[in-house]
Amino acid sequence: EHTDVKRYFTWDKHLFPNPIPMQDRLAKQGRKMVTIVDPHIKRDNKYRIHSEATKKGLYIKDKTGKKDYDGWCWPGSSSYLDFTDASVRQWWAEQFAFNKYIGSTKNLYTWNDMNEPSVFNGPEVSMQKDLLNLAGVEHREWHNLYGQFQHRATAEGLVLRHPSKNERPFVLSRSFFAGSQKYGAIWTGDNESHWSHLQIAAPMLLSLNVGGLSFVGADVGGFFGNPDAELMTRWIQAGAYQPFFRGHAHHDSKRREPWVFGEETMKILRHATAARYALLPYWYTVFHEARETGMPVMRTMWMEYPKEEALFGLDNQWMIGSDLLVKPVTTQTGGKTTLLDVRFPRSSKLWYDVDTLQVASPEGEDNVEWVTCPMDKIPVYQRGGSIIARKLRLRRSTELMVNDPYTLYIALDEHGNAEGSLYSDDQHTFDYKSGKYTMSKFVMSGNSLYHESISQEKWNNSEGEIERIVIMGMDYVPAEVSVVISGGEPLKVAYMYEGASKVLVIRKPGVSTSADWSIALSQ
């Protein structure tokens, strides 16, 4: 709707008369903008993109190979670029240059929709199978690749537009294929505001993750229809623990901002969203692991516990990385408190509720705990033996969180041990490829916590202050807590112990992710 009558790479001058100042104002708040750029091109000879593509011969042909294919989509009569051709992809990438996409800035990113490709008057709402690409190959042979090729060309264009060629792109695509994870995020398409669609979202996303595509999500609240407060609450709670977290609705749907559902619901939605943002350091670390190893971000239970057959059939609970277990409420209860069965792996003995910091108590042959879930509760558990970093200060954007301090959450296993990692880089360039990043390794062993900072090359990072350390499962009160930084002298630090909850909190330990250090707990 932002374009000049569905001419992509343009702006509606009445709705958006000053797109650059608008983007600049948003950028000052740490926010970005995303516009839709679809593969169908309006057949209008006064439209630069179309006239140039026609002159250069960049379009898919009819079955004779002599005429440009004419299909019907949002602009009406449309032609479709042949993204299977490398020269067409290069031309498309060049259209994102700031001097060609007038009104775009470095803070404008892209969403490729309708790129299956969708054709309203075509068979199965797509192109005829006997259409030809520029190489003379029929559509039936490359249909599943078309969207990925557009996704790729768009991502390359967002890199190409910068003189340094060193800024990461963001491109969301509806169509995808194996390997699309290299180019950006995807989502599961036009779902509906029904409980059944909330329930099916997790199996779909888990399947995609098994296939190697991690940056995936479903439209929170459903694209079509009007979710009530209960459905919206449960969907946001679930979506907050899925890799790509986005609200998206049809323009005929009612407004669904958190505040339209009333004060109580807004508080619950704010809490769920804040929990998502607090975990961004952990999400970023798990995404780094996915890049390096191929292990997905959102994992089936059997992927993490391949020897426990009782977990093989579960697709309504999952792991984020190896350390968080999530089981959302996905059935309607009329807003009433419900009981939810969470099944825990037997090979990991201890699991800590992330809200209460208390150990779960599974029972029976299935190792299940029935969890009481009022409307503000989604069962999420941290694995005993893990260390997770969070950022707890509420901000209006992730950019404003960059220099915020960390809080470490240490979940001790049955032996009193734990370990974890934290990955950080500048979050916007490709400099990490040349070693400009920091990997922090945390190990809790015996009565001491150790940190090792691994950085291949110096980079302009913040100090990475750790302002608080929370240790769950502590069964004794330390007589003293002392810190040693880079081989220096021990320094005593303040702490607080809650005997009933077995939680130790160390405040202001004076350590960061940029130096090696250790913390000793004296009995």
Side-chain angles (χ1 to χ4, degrees), residues 87-220:
S87 63
V88 176
R89 293 197 299 272
Q90 177 64 28
W91 177 85
W92 176 261
E94 292 169 355
Q95 305 315 302
F96 289 91
F98 299 128
N99 63 351
K100 289 189 176 182
Y101 189 175
I102 304 301
S104 67
T105 71
K106 65 179 182 179
N107 295 302
L108 184 69
Y109 297 89
T110 306
W111 169 6
N112 293 151
D113 200 1
M114 312 297 286
N115 55 343
E116 288 76 21
S118 291
V119 183
F120 293 156
N121 62 338
E124 299 177 301
V125 201
S126 191
M127 294 177 180
Q128 289 85 348
K129 295 179 181 179
D130 57 359
L131 298 187
L132 300 177
N133 67 5
L134 297 179
V137 180
E138 290 186 340
H139 173 220
R140 71 182 81 245
E141 302 294 336
W142 43 263
H143 173 81
N144 290 343
L145 290 167
Y146 186 84
Q148 185 198 71
F149 280 131
Q150 190 207 11
H151 198 188
R152 171 183 174 177
T154 302
E156 291 170 349
L158 296 190
V159 175
L160 189 65
R161 66 183 179 172
H162 293 279
S164 67
K165 311 295 186 292
N166 194 33
E167 290 291 327
R168 300 181 210 173
F170 173 83
V171 186
L172 174 65
S173 176
R174 190 169 77 178
S175 182
F176 55 91
F177 194 68
S180 288
Q181 67 269 21
K182 294 183 289 185
Y183 308 118
I186 60 173
W187 92 105
T188 56
D190 296 344
N191 54 3
E192 297 186 11
S193 299
H194 297 313
W195 287 91
S196 60
H197 283 227
L198 168 58
Q199 291 160 9
I200 200 63
M204 293 173 71
L205 299 177
L206 287 169
S207 296
L208 291 169
N209 271 262
V210 168
L213 284 78
S214 278
F215 202 3
V216 297
D219 286 342
V220 170

Side-chain angles (χ1 to χ4, degrees), residues 402-449:
V402 168
N403 296 320
D404 284 352
Y406 297 103
T407 294
L408 296 184
Y409 284 80
I410 302 176
L412 298 179
D413 64 15
E414 63 271 26
H415 306 295
N417 300 327
E419 61 181 43
S421 58
L422 173 64
Y423 173 81
S424 59
D425 58 29
D426 65 18
Q427 300 184 15
H428 68 94
T429 74
F430 295 105
D431 286 351
Y432 64 88
K433 292 183 177 181
S434 61
K436 293 183 179 179
Y437 64 85
T438 298
M439 176 64 80
S440 291
K441 298 288 187 181
F442 304 99
V443 176
M444 183 81 184
S445 180
N447 300 322
S448 296
L449 172 64

